[in-house]
Amino acid sequence: MVSIPTLNFSHRFQGVIWNMVAGTEHDPLIIEVRDTEKKQVTFSALDLSSGEFRWRDRTLEENWWISLTLVHHGILIFTAYLDTNNPDKKGILAYSASDLSQLWWVNDFSVSSVTASTLRGFSQKFGLKEHAVDMKTGREVLTPPDDAIVEPHELLKPAQYLEGTEYFATVKTFLLKQLNLNVVSALEYLEFEKSMIISCYVAGNDSPDLANFLIVFSRTGECLLKEEISSRAKGIGLDTFFVLRNNLIFVKNKNELLSYRIL
């Protein structure tokens, strides 16, 4: 028997939820929120096990030209854009995930990958040069250890299928039969444990905008959850939801973060 998803939490923000980054098992989920009117970006650290914030709506010294890149074993790595006319000129800053205190910075560095102990990337000061820095100190590592590239292994993202493909047609027929939804453009699909999770779009009657629905089904086709996550989508999105540690996480109306427990 499949359990109906239960709401873990719902949090609203003053601005658009622009980015979310998960790290290793004990790291919080970091949420990046942008307020275009104020030209301000804020960051929040959410503990998924409790649904509570470790800290919330914090700003950095750079108010706008900075973005979150990765979270790794209690360290947050941000990319700072050093020249607003040249996005290739970047630096990185490291902060503690526990209290957002700054640990170190490197002025000329673009991250390409992360290992257990180092950040790999490129500098451009004397032509494009590959090198590595120590994750804890930011110091250059002349002979990087031969450790494997780290990926967030628990994070599950959906596959996207565009209209006109065979799989889109299969799911479209299923949704029309089960819920009388005539979906268009694209959909995202993920099977997790005993559930099927679908993000899909429905055209409005008198508007070019699309309604975006997130739906959870049992493997037998029973609808367990249906949320309209946007009523006026201007186009299709990518990665409109993800699953992390049995949490179905998605954004509603650009500014509300929701999580449902699914099994």
Side-chain angles (χ1 to χ4, degrees):
M1 182 177 179
V2 182
S3 301
I4 295 175
T6 55
L7 182 66
N8 286 332
F9 57 77
S10 170
H11 298 295
R12 282 190 174 88
F13 294 85
Q14 295 297 317
V16 174
I17 299 175
W18 194 261
N19 186 23
M20 290 183 285
V21 178
T24 46
E25 181 181 359
H26 300 293
D27 287 323
L29 179 69
I30 307 299
I31 302 117
E32 177 179 331
V33 177
R34 292 189 172 264
D35 187 325
T36 54
E37 291 185 2
K38 295 180 179 179
K39 289 290 184 182
Q40 183 179 75
V41 56
T42 58
F43 301 93
S44 301
L46 182 66
D47 189 320
L48 285 181
S49 60
S50 67
E52 300 296 328
F53 290 97
R54 297 186 186 179
W55 39 266
R56 179 169 181 172
D57 300 331
R58 298 278 295 275
T59 58
L60 303 178
E61 186 174 348
E62 168 54 54
N63 281 347
W64 186 248
W65 296 104
I66 193 165
S67 62
L68 180 64
T69 301
L70 61 92
V71 183
H72 185 67
H73 287 301
I75 298 177
L76 312 182
I77 301 297
F78 295 87
T79 295
Y81 297 90
L82 306 177
D83 184 346
T84 58
N85 295 315
N86 184 355
D88 291 330
K89 289 188 177 181
K90 304 172 186 174
I92 56 172
L93 302 95
Y95 287 77
S96 168
S98 62
D99 59 3
L100 205 61
S101 59
Q102 187 172 309
L103 303 175
W104 52 264
W105 69 90
V106 177
N107 281 333
D108 178 25
F109 195 86
S110 297
V111 177
S112 61
S113 60
V114 58
T115 74
S117 59
T118 62
L119 287 172
R120 310 291 173 89
F122 300 89
S123 65
Q124 297 192 34
K125 189 173 182 180
F126 302 108
L128 196 63
K129 175 188 174 184
E130 186 174 8
H131 70 130
V133 297
D134 184 273
M135 176 69 72
K136 294 182 178 179
T137 66
R139 297 191 184 97
E140 184 174 2
V141 179
L142 297 177
T143 307
D146 189 22
D147 45 5
I149 302 297
V150 173
E151 299 288 348
H153 63 282
E154 294 182 299
L155 185 72
L156 301 175
K157 293 184 177 182
Q160 186 182 61
Y161 300 97
L162 299 178
E163 191 168 13
T165 61
E166 181 179 356
Y167 203 87
F168 178 92
T170 300
V171 180
K172 177 184 175 78
T173 301
F174 171 77
L175 290 172
L176 190 62
K177 178 182 178 182
Q178 298 299 111
L179 298 177
N180 197 32
L181 282 180
N182 186 22
V183 301
V184 298
S185 300
L187 59 86
E188 293 187 308
Y189 181 89
L190 177 67
E191 292 184 1
F192 178 75
E193 299 294 344
K194 299 177 182 179
S195 301
M196 302 180 295
I197 310 168
I198 302 170
S199 172
C200 60
Y201 298 87
V202 177
N205 295 326
D206 55 357
S207 169
D209 297 340
L210 303 173
N212 185 193
F213 289 93
L214 183 68
I215 309 166
V216 180
F217 290 96
S218 69
R219 295 295 183 96
T220 58
E222 178 188 2
C223 182
L224 306 174
L225 176 70
K226 181 184 175 186
E227 282 265 6
E228 185 177 29
I229 60 178
S230 176
S231 60
R232 293 187 174 275
K234 300 300 181 182
I236 62 174
L238 185 63
D239 295 336
T240 53
F241 69 90
F242 61 88
V243 174
L244 179 63
R245 303 167 207 153
N246 291 98
N247 294 282
L248 170 60
I249 298 171
F250 59 95
V251 174
K252 185 174 182 177
N253 296 325
K254 296 184 179 181
N255 68 349
E256 183 180 2
L257 179 64
L258 292 100
S259 170
Y260 281 84
R261 182 77 172 174
I262 58 172
L263 299 173

